[in-house]
Amino acid sequence: MSVKVGIIMGSDSDLPVMQNAGKVLDDLGVEYELTIVSAHRTPKKLYEYSQSAKDRGLEVIIAGAGGAAHLPGMVASLTTLPVIGVPVKSSTMSGLDSLYSIVQMPPGVPVATVAINGSLNAGLLAAQIIGVYNKEVSEKLVEYKNTMEKMVLDKADKLEDLGYEKYLEER
């Protein structure tokens, strides 16, 4: 499979959050590229990255940013590819500033937005977009969801068997 998803972030300080998108895409066998593109410090790179993304084979872009969080919206203004914004928690407003900046896009410039620090869900959403037409990715998503279901059912059985006190002790 060729590179389908671009994962970008405004700073390397966002990597501890954004790595989760890469991890889930690895689990699903979806290839991606990962780099730093700052909307404010590297505007030429932002423009080049966004304008060339489709020609380079990207099909979805995940953009994580904190603070003013202009990266996802700027990327969305420069491409017709789906853009998923990940608000990165900031020290100023615990990520609400980032969330509001990403989710409040003007009409005509959509950015799908996940929870603060929600890059895992961004990775899953990117895979689901690709899974619409890619049977292999779609099947891996079914396996992923089945695994999640089994984990929860196993925990429920254990809780019911042990009671909450012993369950908490063993966690």
Side-chain angles (χ1 to χ4, degrees):
M1 193 181 301
S2 63
V3 174
K4 303 270 188 207
V5 179
I7 303 172
I8 58 175
M9 63 205 84
S11 169
D12 65 344
S13 64
D14 300 332
L15 186 55
V17 170
M18 297 305 293
Q19 70 180 340
N20 293 320
K23 286 178 181 178
V24 76
L25 291 173
D26 284 337
D27 291 346
L28 296 170
V30 176
E31 291 191 30
Y32 60 90
E33 61 183 30
L34 177 71
T35 193
I36 300 166
V37 179
S38 172
H40 302 112
R41 294 178 295 262
T42 62
K44 289 178 188 169
K45 182 175 182 178
L46 165 70
Y47 186 85
E48 291 165 5
Y49 184 92
S50 303
Q51 290 284 292
S52 69
K54 198 172 200 176
D55 290 338
R56 291 183 298 109
L58 295 185
E59 297 174 358
V60 182
I61 297 172
I62 300 170
H70 290 117
L71 183 61
M74 289 302 299
V75 171
S77 75
L78 294 166
T79 184
T80 57
L81 295 176
V83 176
I84 303 167
V86 179
V88 176
K89 185 177 180 180
S90 61
S91 59
T92 308
M93 296 178 65
S94 297
L96 285 177
D97 50 344
S98 309
L99 174 65
Y100 292 151
S101 293
I102 297 171
V103 79
Q104 293 291 354
M105 293 302 300
V109 188
V111 174
T113 308
V114 296
I116 296 168
N117 287 356
S119 70
L120 185 139
N121 275 352
L124 287 170
L125 181 56
Q128 288 176 328
I129 291 167
I130 292 167
V132 166
Y133 63 87
N134 184 309
K135 185 177 179 181
E136 182 181 337
V137 173
S138 180
E139 289 171 355
K140 288 189 178 193
L141 283 162
V142 169
E143 288 175 30
Y144 183 90
K145 290 190 177 224
N146 287 340
T147 299
M148 281 193 326
E149 179 184 29
K150 182 180 178 342
M151 283 175 34
V152 171
L153 293 173
D154 289 348
K155 289 178 182 182
D157 288 343
K158 184 176 178 181
L159 174 61
E160 292 165 12
D161 289 345
L162 296 177
Y164 77 90
E165 290 173 336
K166 283 193 176 196
Y167 182 88
L168 290 173
E169 286 174 14
E170 290 189 13
R171 272 184 41 183

